[in-house]
Amino acid sequence: MARLGYAWGQRLGRRPDMTAPRIETLEDLRPWGSVKGEALGALTDAEKVDEFSYYELYEGRIRERRTGELIEVLVEFDVELLQWAMPASEAREP
């Protein structure tokens, strides 16, 4: 089994010898596929909108592969590992 990362304190990180994924569109933001710095680096105007303990929710903009347009997205991290990403227009209020 390949080891893809490591735990450092209360966060997860990519091994130094592992290449970070290329993130250009919403479709590239795959759960557990990137760490916080990589995912947020691909977003335009990323802003934290919620947090609790090691959970963080950000809003930003990224291109959609199909249209090439910038769309608003929400991305969620737990211990700095991407959990999910979705268009902000699809988010539902509880």
Side-chain angles (χ1 to χ4, degrees):
M1 172 184 256
R3 294 190 173 119
L4 301 177
Y6 60 90
W8 184 258
Q10 299 297 324
R11 67 179 184 88
L12 297 173
R14 184 172 305 283
R15 282 186 6 206
D17 62 331
M18 298 292 295
T19 303
R22 187 172 180 171
I23 302 172
E24 296 178 339
T25 66
L26 171 61
E27 293 78 9
D28 297 329
L29 290 168
R30 295 185 182 99
W32 297 9
S34 59
V35 294
K36 183 174 141 182
E38 297 163 353
L40 291 182
L43 298 180
T44 302
D45 302 326
E47 249 184 73
K48 187 185 293 187
V49 293
D50 194 18
E51 69 178 310
F52 179 76
S53 188
Y54 301 111
Y55 154 87
E56 295 176 295
L57 180 67
Y58 285 80
E59 184 174 32
R61 294 183 299 148
I62 195 166
R63 296 211 177 273
E64 183 180 41
R65 182 172 287 141
R66 185 175 50 85
T67 65
E69 293 180 19
L70 278 175
I71 60 169
E72 288 190 25
V73 295
L74 294 173
V75 291
E76 179 184 277
F77 302 94
D78 195 9
V79 292
E80 298 197 13
L81 183 64
L82 180 65
Q83 300 298 305
W84 56 262
M86 72 169 55
S89 63
E90 293 179 14
R92 297 186 201 136
E93 289 293 320

